[in-house]
Amino acid sequence: MLAALKNAAHRAWLVLLVATGITWYLGEVGAAGTWAIVAMLTIAFVKGRLVILDFMELRTAPLIWRVLLEGWLILVSSLILLAYWMSLK
């Protein structure tokens, strides 16, 4: 088990499983409100970043590719959070 965790993709996969479980739990308990939205968006951001870095193999890619994809992820996450914030008014 520990030998399998030496691989970055395996560690990322484990984190993705745990993050998915947390998101599922938040849905099952009916978590709502700003804290739940921020928690789920944060989890989605972390999951997206792990996919970009470990499964798309951009961790060692040229900086421009990382900036483009991580910037896109930050932009989309920010727009979702902004849309949620605007819907509260």
Side-chain angles (χ1 to χ4, degrees):
M1 176 72 179
L2 292 178
L5 293 179
K6 289 181 181 178
N7 184 323
H10 291 159
R11 286 192 305 270
W13 176 74
L14 187 60
V15 171
L16 290 173
L17 281 177
V18 171
T20 300
I22 292 170
T23 304
W24 173 82
Y25 177 76
L26 289 174
E28 282 296 310
V29 298
T34 302
W35 73 269
I37 296 299
V38 170
M40 287 187 240
L41 189 58
T42 301
I43 291 170
F45 178 81
V46 169
K47 290 170 68 176
R49 190 162 188 268
L50 283 174
V51 168
I52 288 170
L53 293 178
D54 292 320
F55 292 103
M56 295 174 72
E57 299 184 0
L58 290 181
R59 189 173 293 277
T60 57
L63 183 62
I64 185 70
W65 289 110
R66 287 185 61 178
V67 169
L68 281 173
L69 286 175
E70 290 190 70
W72 171 81
L73 186 61
I74 291 169
L75 176 67
V76 169
S77 298
S78 299
L79 289 175
I80 292 171
L81 195 57
L82 177 66
Y84 175 74
W85 179 71
M86 289 176 68
S87 73
L88 294 177
K89 292 187 173 196

Coordinates of all heavy atoms in Angstrom, one line a residue:
M1 N 0.8 -1.2 0.0 CA 0.0 0.0 0.0 C 0.9 1.2 0.0 O 0.6 2.2 -0.8 CB -0.9 0.0 1.2 CG -1.8 1.2 1.4 SD -3.1 1.2 0.1 CE -3.9 2.7 0.6
L2 N 1.9 1.3 0.9 CA 2.7 2.5 0.9 C 3.5 2.7 -0.3 O 3.8 3.8 -0.7 CB 3.6 2.5 2.2 CG 2.8 2.6 3.5 CD1 3.8 2.5 4.7 CD2 2.1 3.9 3.6
A3 N 3.9 1.5 -0.9 CA 4.7 1.6 -2.2 C 3.9 2.3 -3.3 O 4.4 3.0 -4.1 CB 5.2 0.2 -2.6
A4 N 2.6 2.0 -3.3 CA 1.7 2.5 -4.3 C 1.6 4.0 -4.2 O 1.3 4.7 -5.1 CB 0.3 1.9 -4.2
L5 N 1.7 4.5 -2.9 CA 1.5 6.0 -2.7 C 2.8 6.8 -3.1 O 2.7 8.0 -3.0 CB 1.2 6.2 -1.2 CG -0.2 5.7 -0.8 CD1 -0.5 5.9 0.6 CD2 -1.3 6.3 -1.7
K6 N 3.8 6.1 -3.5 CA 5.0 6.9 -3.9 C 4.8 7.5 -5.3 O 5.4 8.4 -5.7 CB 6.2 5.9 -4.0 CG 6.7 5.5 -2.6 CD 7.9 4.7 -2.7 CE 8.4 4.3 -1.3 NZ 9.5 3.4 -1.3
N7 N 3.8 6.9 -6.0 CA 3.5 7.5 -7.4 C 2.5 8.7 -7.2 O 1.5 8.6 -6.5 CB 2.8 6.4 -8.2 CG 2.5 6.8 -9.6 OD1 2.2 7.9 -9.8 ND2 2.6 5.9 -10.5
A8 N 2.9 9.8 -7.8 CA 2.1 11.0 -7.7 C 0.6 10.8 -8.2 O -0.3 11.3 -7.6 CB 2.7 12.2 -8.4
A9 N 0.5 10.0 -9.2 CA -0.9 9.8 -9.8 C -1.7 9.0 -8.8 O -2.9 9.2 -8.7 CB -0.8 9.1 -11.1
H10 N -1.1 8.1 -8.1 CA -1.8 7.3 -7.1 C -2.3 8.1 -5.9 O -3.4 8.0 -5.5 CB -1.0 6.1 -6.7 CG -0.8 5.1 -7.7 ND1 0.3 4.2 -7.7 CD2 -1.4 4.8 -8.9 CE1 0.2 3.4 -8.7 NE2 -0.8 3.8 -9.5
R11 N -1.4 9.0 -5.5 CA -1.7 9.9 -4.4 C -2.9 10.8 -4.8 O -3.8 11.1 -4.1 CB -0.5 10.7 -4.0 CG 0.5 9.9 -3.2 CD 1.5 10.8 -2.5 NE 2.2 11.7 -3.4 CZ 3.3 11.4 -4.1 NH1 3.9 10.3 -3.9 NH2 3.9 12.3 -4.9
A12 N -2.8 11.3 -6.0 CA -3.8 12.2 -6.6 C -5.1 11.5 -6.6 O -6.2 12.0 -6.3 CB -3.4 12.8 -7.9
W13 N -5.1 10.2 -7.1 CA -6.3 9.4 -7.2 C -6.9 9.3 -5.8 O -8.1 9.4 -5.7 CB -5.9 8.1 -7.8 CG -7.1 7.1 -7.9 CD1 -8.1 7.2 -8.7 CD2 -7.3 6.0 -7.1 NE1 -9.0 6.1 -8.5 CE2 -8.5 5.4 -7.5 CE3 -6.6 5.5 -6.0 CZ2 -9.0 4.3 -6.8 CZ3 -7.0 4.3 -5.4 CH2 -8.2 3.7 -5.8
L14 N -6.1 9.0 -4.8 CA -6.6 8.8 -3.5 C -7.3 10.1 -2.9 O -8.3 10.1 -2.4 CB -5.5 8.4 -2.5 CG -5.9 8.0 -1.1 CD1 -6.9 6.8 -1.1 CD2 -4.7 7.6 -0.3
V15 N -6.6 11.2 -3.2 CA -7.2 12.5 -2.8 C -8.5 12.8 -3.5 O -9.5 13.3 -2.9 CB -6.2 13.7 -3.0 CG1 -6.8 15.0 -2.8 CG2 -5.0 13.5 -2.1
L16 N -8.5 12.4 -4.8 CA -9.8 12.6 -5.6 C -10.9 11.8 -5.0 O -12.1 12.2 -4.9 CB -9.6 12.3 -7.0 CG -8.7 13.2 -7.8 CD1 -8.4 12.7 -9.2 CD2 -9.3 14.6 -7.9
L17 N -10.6 10.6 -4.6 CA -11.6 9.7 -4.0 C -12.1 10.3 -2.7 O -13.4 10.3 -2.4 CB -11.0 8.3 -3.7 CG -10.9 7.4 -4.9 CD1 -10.3 6.1 -4.4 CD2 -12.3 7.1 -5.5
V18 N -11.2 10.8 -1.8 CA -11.6 11.4 -0.6 C -12.5 12.6 -0.8 O -13.5 12.8 -0.2 CB -10.4 11.6 0.3 CG1 -10.8 12.5 1.6 CG2 -9.7 10.3 0.7
A19 N -12.0 13.5 -1.7 CA -12.7 14.7 -2.0 C -14.1 14.4 -2.6 O -15.1 15.1 -2.2 CB -11.9 15.5 -3.0
T20 N -14.2 13.4 -3.4 CA -15.5 13.0 -3.9 C -16.4 12.5 -2.8 O -17.6 12.8 -2.8 CB -15.4 11.9 -5.0 OG1 -14.5 12.5 -6.1 CG2 -16.7 11.5 -5.6
G21 N -15.8 11.8 -1.9 CA -16.6 11.3 -0.8 C -17.1 12.4 0.1 O -18.3 12.4 0.6
I22 N -16.3 13.4 0.3 CA -16.7 14.6 1.1 C -17.8 15.4 0.4 O -18.8 15.7 1.0 CB -15.5 15.5 1.4 CG1 -14.5 14.8 2.3 CG2 -16.0 16.8 2.0 CD1 -13.2 15.6 2.5
T23 N -17.7 15.5 -0.9 CA -18.7 16.2 -1.7 C -20.0 15.4 -1.6 O -21.1 16.0 -1.4 CB -18.3 16.4 -3.1 OG1 -17.0 17.1 -3.1 CG2 -19.3 17.2 -3.9
W24 N -20.0 14.1 -1.8 CA -21.1 13.3 -1.7 C -21.8 13.4 -0.3 O -23.0 13.6 -0.2 CB -20.8 11.8 -1.9 CG -21.9 10.9 -1.7 CD1 -22.9 10.6 -2.5 CD2 -22.1 10.2 -0.5 NE1 -23.8 9.7 -1.9 CE2 -23.3 9.4 -0.7 CE3 -21.4 10.0 0.7 CZ2 -23.8 8.6 0.3 CZ3 -22.0 9.2 1.7 CH2 -23.1 8.5 1.5
Y25 N -21.0 13.4 0.8 CA -21.5 13.5 2.1 C -22.2 14.9 2.3 O -23.3 14.9 2.9 CB -20.4 13.4 3.1 CG -20.8 13.6 4.5 CD1 -21.6 12.6 5.2 CD2 -20.6 14.8 5.2 CE1 -22.0 12.8 6.5 CE2 -21.0 15.0 6.5 CZ -21.8 14.0 7.1 OH -22.2 14.2 8.4
L26 N -21.6 15.9 1.8 CA -22.3 17.3 1.9 C -23.6 17.3 1.2 O -24.6 17.9 1.7 CB -21.4 18.4 1.3 CG -20.1 18.7 2.1 CD1 -19.2 19.7 1.4 CD2 -20.5 19.2 3.5
G27 N -23.7 16.6 0.1 CA -25.0 16.5 -0.6 C -26.0 15.6 0.2 O -27.2 15.9 0.2
E28 N -25.5 14.5 0.7 CA -26.4 13.6 1.5 C -27.0 14.2 2.7 O -28.1 14.0 3.1 CB -25.7 12.3 1.8 CG -25.5 11.4 0.7 CD -26.9 10.9 0.2 OE1 -27.7 10.4 1.0 OE2 -27.1 11.0 -1.1
V29 N -26.2 15.1 3.4 CA -26.7 15.7 4.6 C -27.5 17.0 4.3 O -28.0 17.6 5.3 CB -25.6 16.0 5.7 CG1 -24.9 14.7 6.1 CG2 -24.6 17.0 5.1
G30 N -27.6 17.3 3.1 CA -28.3 18.5 2.7 C -27.6 19.8 3.1 O -28.3 20.8 3.4
A31 N -26.3 19.8 3.0 CA -25.6 21.0 3.4 C -26.0 22.1 2.4 O -26.0 21.9 1.2 CB -24.1 20.7 3.3
A32 N -26.3 23.2 2.9 CA -26.7 24.4 2.1 C -26.1 25.7 2.7 O -25.6 25.7 3.8 CB -28.2 24.5 2.0
G33 N -26.2 26.7 2.0 CA -25.7 28.0 2.5 C -24.3 28.3 1.9 O -23.7 27.5 1.2
T34 N -23.8 29.4 2.3 CA -22.6 29.9 1.7 C -21.4 29.0 2.1 O -20.6 28.7 1.2 CB -22.3 31.3 2.3 OG1 -23.4 32.2 1.9 CG2 -21.0 31.9 1.7
W35 N -21.3 28.5 3.3 CA -20.2 27.7 3.7 C -20.2 26.4 2.9 O -19.1 25.9 2.5 CB -20.2 27.4 5.2 CG -21.2 26.4 5.6 CD1 -22.5 26.7 6.0 CD2 -21.1 25.0 5.6 NE1 -23.2 25.5 6.3 CE2 -22.3 24.5 6.0 CE3 -20.1 24.1 5.3 CZ2 -22.6 23.1 6.1 CZ3 -20.3 22.7 5.4 CH2 -21.6 22.3 5.8
A36 N -21.3 25.8 2.6 CA -21.4 24.6 1.8 C -20.9 24.9 0.4 O -20.2 24.1 -0.2 CB -22.8 24.0 1.9
I37 N -21.4 26.0 -0.2 CA -21.0 26.3 -1.6 C -19.5 26.6 -1.7 O -18.9 26.1 -2.6 CB -21.8 27.6 -2.0 CG1 -23.3 27.3 -2.1 CG2 -21.3 28.1 -3.4 CD1 -23.7 26.2 -3.0
V38 N -19.0 27.3 -0.7 CA -17.6 27.6 -0.7 C -16.8 26.3 -0.6 O -15.8 26.1 -1.2 CB -17.2 28.6 0.3 CG1 -15.7 28.8 0.5 CG2 -17.8 30.0 0.0
A39 N -17.2 25.4 0.3 CA -16.5 24.1 0.5 C -16.5 23.3 -0.7 O -15.5 22.7 -1.1 CB -17.2 23.4 1.7
M40 N -17.7 23.2 -1.3 CA -17.8 22.4 -2.6 C -17.0 23.0 -3.7 O -16.4 22.2 -4.5 CB -19.3 22.2 -2.9 CG -20.0 21.2 -2.0 SD -21.7 20.9 -2.6 CE -22.6 21.5 -1.3
L41 N -17.0 24.3 -3.8 CA -16.2 24.9 -4.9 C -14.7 24.7 -4.6 O -14.0 24.5 -5.6 CB -16.6 26.4 -5.0 CG -16.0 27.1 -6.2 CD1 -16.5 26.5 -7.5 CD2 -16.5 28.6 -6.1
T42 N -14.3 24.8 -3.4 CA -12.9 24.6 -3.0 C -12.5 23.2 -3.4 O -11.4 22.9 -3.9 CB -12.7 24.9 -1.5 OG1 -13.1 26.3 -1.3 CG2 -11.2 24.7 -1.2
I43 N -13.4 22.2 -3.0 CA -13.1 20.8 -3.3 C -13.0 20.6 -4.8 O -12.1 19.9 -5.3 CB -14.1 19.9 -2.7 CG1 -14.0 19.9 -1.2 CG2 -14.0 18.5 -3.2 CD1 -15.2 19.3 -0.4
A44 N -13.9 21.2 -5.6 CA -13.9 21.1 -7.0 C -12.6 21.7 -7.6 O -12.0 21.2 -8.5 CB -15.1 21.8 -7.6
F45 N -12.2 22.8 -7.0 CA -10.9 23.5 -7.5 C -9.7 22.6 -7.2 O -8.9 22.4 -8.1 CB -10.7 24.8 -6.8 CG -9.5 25.5 -7.2 CD1 -9.4 26.2 -8.3 CD2 -8.3 25.4 -6.3 CE1 -8.2 26.9 -8.7 CE2 -7.2 26.0 -6.7 CZ -7.1 26.8 -7.9
V46 N -9.7 22.0 -6.1 CA -8.5 21.1 -5.7 C -8.5 19.9 -6.7 O -7.5 19.5 -7.2 CB -8.6 20.7 -4.2 CG1 -7.6 19.6 -3.9 CG2 -8.3 21.9 -3.3
K47 N -9.7 19.3 -6.9 CA -9.8 18.2 -7.8 C -9.4 18.5 -9.2 O -8.6 17.8 -9.8 CB -11.2 17.6 -7.8 CG -11.6 16.9 -6.5 CD -13.1 16.6 -6.4 CE -13.5 15.6 -7.4 NZ -14.9 15.2 -7.2
G48 N -9.8 19.7 -9.7 CA -9.5 20.1 -11.0 C -8.0 20.3 -11.1 O -7.3 20.0 -12.1
R49 N -7.4 20.9 -10.1 CA -5.9 21.2 -10.1 C -5.2 19.9 -10.1 O -4.2 19.7 -10.8 CB -5.5 22.0 -8.9 CG -4.1 22.5 -9.0 CD -3.9 23.7 -8.1 NE -2.6 24.2 -8.4 CZ -1.5 23.9 -7.7 NH1 -1.5 23.0 -6.8 NH2 -0.3 24.4 -8.1
L50 N -5.6 18.9 -9.3 CA -4.9 17.6 -9.3 C -5.0 16.9 -10.7 O -4.1 16.3 -11.1 CB -5.5 16.7 -8.2 CG -5.1 17.0 -6.8 CD1 -5.9 16.1 -5.8 CD2 -3.6 16.8 -6.7
V51 N -6.2 17.0 -11.3 CA -6.3 16.4 -12.7 C -5.4 17.1 -13.6 O -4.7 16.4 -14.4 CB -7.8 16.5 -13.1 CG1 -7.9 16.1 -14.6 CG2 -8.7 15.6 -12.3
I52 N -5.3 18.4 -13.6 CA -4.5 19.1 -14.5 C -3.0 18.8 -14.3 O -2.3 18.5 -15.2 CB -4.7 20.7 -14.3 CG1 -6.0 21.1 -14.9 CG2 -3.5 21.5 -15.0 CD1 -6.4 22.5 -14.6
L53 N -2.6 18.7 -13.0 CA -1.2 18.5 -12.7 C -0.7 17.1 -12.9 O 0.3 16.8 -13.4 CB -0.8 19.0 -11.3 CG -0.9 20.5 -11.1 CD1 -0.6 20.9 -9.7 CD2 -0.1 21.3 -12.1
D54 N -1.6 16.1 -12.4 CA -1.1 14.8 -12.3 C -1.6 13.9 -13.5 O -0.9 13.0 -14.0 CB -1.5 14.1 -11.0 CG -0.7 14.8 -9.9 OD1 0.5 15.0 -10.1 OD2 -1.3 15.0 -8.8
F55 N -2.9 14.1 -13.9 CA -3.4 13.2 -14.9 C -3.2 13.8 -16.3 O -3.1 13.0 -17.3 CB -4.9 12.9 -14.6 CG -5.0 12.0 -13.4 CD1 -5.5 12.6 -12.2 CD2 -4.7 10.7 -13.5 CE1 -5.6 11.8 -11.1 CE2 -4.9 9.9 -12.3 CZ -5.3 10.5 -11.2
M56 N -3.1 15.1 -16.4 CA -2.8 15.7 -17.7 C -1.3 15.9 -17.8 O -0.8 16.4 -18.8 CB -3.5 17.0 -17.9 CG -5.0 16.8 -18.0 SD -5.9 18.4 -18.0 CE -5.6 19.0 -19.6
E57 N -0.6 15.5 -16.8 CA 0.9 15.5 -16.7 C 1.5 16.9 -17.0 O 2.5 17.1 -17.7 CB 1.5 14.5 -17.6 CG 1.1 13.1 -17.3 CD 1.7 12.0 -18.1 OE1 2.5 12.4 -19.0 OE2 1.4 10.9 -17.9
L58 N 0.9 17.9 -16.4 CA 1.4 19.3 -16.6 C 2.3 19.8 -15.4 O 2.7 20.9 -15.4 CB 0.2 20.3 -16.8 CG -0.5 20.1 -18.1 CD1 -1.6 21.2 -18.2 CD2 0.5 20.3 -19.3
R59 N 2.5 18.9 -14.5 CA 3.3 19.2 -13.3 C 4.7 19.6 -13.8 O 5.4 20.5 -13.2 CB 3.4 18.1 -12.3 CG 4.0 18.5 -11.0 CD 3.9 17.4 -9.9 NE 2.5 17.2 -9.5 CZ 1.9 17.9 -8.6 NH1 2.5 18.9 -8.0 NH2 0.6 17.6 -8.3
T60 N 5.2 18.9 -14.8 CA 6.6 19.2 -15.3 C 6.6 19.8 -16.6 O 7.6 19.9 -17.3 CB 7.4 17.9 -15.3 OG1 6.7 17.0 -16.2 CG2 7.6 17.3 -13.9
A61 N 5.4 20.3 -17.1 CA 5.3 20.9 -18.4 C 5.8 22.3 -18.4 O 6.0 22.9 -17.3 CB 3.8 20.9 -18.8
P62 N 6.0 22.9 -19.5 CA 6.5 24.3 -19.5 C 5.5 25.2 -18.8 O 4.3 25.0 -18.8 CB 6.5 24.7 -21.0 CG 6.7 23.4 -21.7 CD 6.0 22.3 -20.8
L63 N 6.0 26.2 -18.2 CA 5.2 27.1 -17.3 C 4.0 27.7 -18.0 O 3.0 27.8 -17.4 CB 6.1 28.2 -16.7 CG 5.5 29.2 -15.7 CD1 5.0 28.4 -14.5 CD2 6.4 30.3 -15.4
I64 N 4.1 28.0 -19.3 CA 3.0 28.7 -20.0 C 1.8 27.8 -20.0 O 0.7 28.2 -19.8 CB 3.4 29.1 -21.4 CG1 2.3 29.8 -22.1 CG2 3.8 27.9 -22.2 CD1 2.1 31.2 -21.5
W65 N 2.0 26.5 -20.1 CA 0.8 25.5 -20.1 C 0.2 25.5 -18.8 O -1.1 25.4 -18.7 CB 1.2 24.1 -20.6 CG 1.6 24.2 -22.1 CD1 2.8 24.0 -22.6 CD2 0.6 24.3 -23.1 NE1 2.7 24.1 -24.0 CE2 1.4 24.3 -24.3 CE3 -0.7 24.6 -23.2 CZ2 0.8 24.5 -25.6 CZ3 -1.3 24.7 -24.4 CH2 -0.6 24.7 -25.6
R66 N 1.0 25.4 -17.7 CA 0.4 25.4 -16.4 C -0.3 26.7 -16.1 O -1.4 26.6 -15.5 CB 1.5 25.2 -15.3 CG 2.1 23.8 -15.3 CD 3.1 23.6 -14.2 NE 2.4 23.8 -12.9 CZ 3.0 23.7 -11.8 NH1 4.3 23.3 -11.8 NH2 2.4 23.9 -10.7
V67 N 0.3 27.8 -16.5 CA -0.4 29.1 -16.2 C -1.7 29.2 -17.0 O -2.7 29.6 -16.4 CB 0.5 30.3 -16.6 CG1 -0.2 31.6 -16.6 CG2 1.7 30.3 -15.7
L68 N -1.7 28.7 -18.2 CA -3.0 28.7 -19.0 C -4.1 27.9 -18.4 O -5.2 28.3 -18.2 CB -2.7 28.3 -20.4 CG -2.1 29.3 -21.4 CD1 -1.7 28.6 -22.7 CD2 -3.0 30.5 -21.6
L69 N -3.8 26.7 -18.0 CA -4.8 25.8 -17.5 C -5.2 26.1 -16.1 O -6.4 26.1 -15.7 CB -4.4 24.3 -17.6 CG -4.4 23.8 -19.1 CD1 -3.9 22.4 -19.2 CD2 -5.9 23.9 -19.6
E70 N -4.2 26.4 -15.2 CA -4.6 26.8 -13.9 C -5.3 28.1 -13.8 O -6.1 28.3 -13.0 CB -3.3 26.7 -13.0 CG -2.8 25.3 -12.8 CD -1.8 25.2 -11.7 OE1 -2.1 25.4 -10.5 OE2 -0.6 24.9 -12.1
G71 N -4.9 29.0 -14.7 CA -5.5 30.3 -14.8 C -7.0 30.1 -15.2 O -7.9 30.8 -14.7
W72 N -7.2 29.2 -16.2 CA -8.6 28.9 -16.6 C -9.4 28.4 -15.4 O -10.5 28.8 -15.2 CB -8.5 27.9 -17.8 CG -9.9 27.4 -18.1 CD1 -10.8 28.0 -18.9 CD2 -10.5 26.2 -17.7 NE1 -11.9 27.2 -19.0 CE2 -11.8 26.1 -18.3 CE3 -10.0 25.1 -16.9 CZ2 -12.6 25.0 -18.0 CZ3 -10.9 24.1 -16.6 CH2 -12.1 24.0 -17.2
L73 N -8.8 27.5 -14.7 CA -9.5 26.9 -13.5 C -9.8 28.0 -12.5 O -10.9 28.0 -11.9 CB -8.6 25.8 -12.9 CG -9.3 25.0 -11.8 CD1 -10.5 24.3 -12.2 CD2 -8.3 24.0 -11.2
I74 N -8.9 28.9 -12.2 CA -9.1 30.0 -11.3 C -10.2 30.9 -11.8 O -11.1 31.3 -11.1 CB -7.8 30.8 -11.0 CG1 -6.8 29.9 -10.2 CG2 -8.1 32.1 -10.3 CD1 -5.4 30.4 -10.1
L75 N -10.2 31.2 -13.1 CA -11.2 32.1 -13.7 C -12.6 31.5 -13.6 O -13.5 32.1 -13.2 CB -10.8 32.3 -15.2 CG -11.9 33.1 -16.0 CD1 -11.9 34.6 -15.4 CD2 -11.6 33.1 -17.5
V76 N -12.7 30.2 -14.0 CA -14.0 29.6 -13.9 C -14.5 29.5 -12.5 O -15.7 29.8 -12.2 CB -14.0 28.2 -14.6 CG1 -15.2 27.4 -14.3 CG2 -13.7 28.3 -16.1
S77 N -13.7 29.1 -11.5 CA -14.1 29.0 -10.1 C -14.5 30.4 -9.6 O -15.5 30.5 -8.9 CB -12.9 28.5 -9.3 OG -12.6 27.2 -9.7
S78 N -13.7 31.4 -10.0 CA -14.1 32.8 -9.5 C -15.4 33.2 -10.1 O -16.2 33.9 -9.4 CB -13.0 33.8 -10.0 OG -11.8 33.4 -9.4
L79 N -15.7 32.9 -11.4 CA -16.9 33.3 -12.0 C -18.1 32.6 -11.4 O -19.2 33.2 -11.2 CB -16.9 33.0 -13.5 CG -16.0 34.0 -14.3 CD1 -16.0 33.5 -15.8 CD2 -16.5 35.4 -14.2
I80 N -17.9 31.3 -11.0 CA -19.0 30.6 -10.3 C -19.3 31.2 -8.9 O -20.4 31.4 -8.6 CB -18.7 29.1 -10.2 CG1 -18.7 28.4 -11.6 CG2 -19.6 28.4 -9.2 CD1 -18.1 27.0 -11.6
L81 N -18.2 31.5 -8.2 CA -18.4 32.2 -6.9 C -19.0 33.5 -7.1 O -19.9 33.9 -6.3 CB -17.0 32.2 -6.2 CG -17.0 32.5 -4.7 CD1 -17.9 31.5 -4.0 CD2 -15.6 32.6 -4.2
L82 N -18.6 34.3 -8.1 CA -19.2 35.6 -8.3 C -20.7 35.5 -8.6 O -21.5 36.3 -8.1 CB -18.5 36.3 -9.4 CG -19.0 37.7 -9.8 CD1 -18.9 38.7 -8.7 CD2 -18.3 38.2 -11.1
A83 N -21.1 34.5 -9.5 CA -22.5 34.3 -9.8 C -23.3 33.9 -8.6 O -24.4 34.4 -8.4 CB -22.6 33.2 -10.9
Y84 N -22.7 33.1 -7.7 CA -23.4 32.8 -6.5 C -23.6 34.0 -5.6 O -24.7 34.2 -5.1 CB -22.6 31.7 -5.7 CG -23.3 31.3 -4.4 CD1 -24.5 30.6 -4.3 CD2 -22.7 31.8 -3.2 CE1 -25.1 30.4 -3.1 CE2 -23.3 31.5 -2.0 CZ -24.5 30.8 -2.0 OH -25.1 30.6 -0.8
W85 N -22.5 34.8 -5.5 CA -22.6 36.0 -4.6 C -23.6 36.9 -5.1 O -24.4 37.5 -4.4 CB -21.2 36.6 -4.5 CG -21.1 37.8 -3.7 CD1 -21.2 38.0 -2.4 CD2 -21.0 39.2 -4.2 NE1 -21.2 39.3 -2.0 CE2 -21.0 40.0 -3.1 CE3 -20.9 39.7 -5.5 CZ2 -20.9 41.4 -3.2 CZ3 -20.8 41.1 -5.6 CH2 -20.8 41.9 -4.5
M86 N -23.6 37.1 -6.5 CA -24.6 38.0 -7.1 C -26.0 37.5 -6.9 O -27.0 38.3 -6.8 CB -24.3 38.2 -8.5 CG -23.0 39.0 -8.8 SD -22.6 39.2 -10.5 CE -23.9 40.2 -11.1
S87 N -26.2 36.2 -6.9 CA -27.6 35.7 -6.7 C -28.1 35.9 -5.3 O -29.3 35.8 -5.0 CB -27.6 34.2 -7.0 OG -26.9 33.4 -6.0
L88 N -27.2 36.1 -4.3 CA -27.7 36.4 -2.9 C -28.2 37.7 -2.7 O -29.0 38.0 -1.8 CB -26.5 36.2 -2.0 CG -25.9 34.8 -1.9 CD1 -24.7 34.7 -1.0 CD2 -27.0 33.8 -1.4
K89 N -27.9 38.7 -3.7 CA -28.4 40.0 -3.5 C -29.8 40.2 -4.0 O -30.3 39.6 -4.9 CB -27.4 41.0 -4.2 CG -26.1 41.1 -3.5 CD -25.2 42.1 -4.0 CE -24.0 42.2 -3.1 NZ -23.3 43.4 -3.3

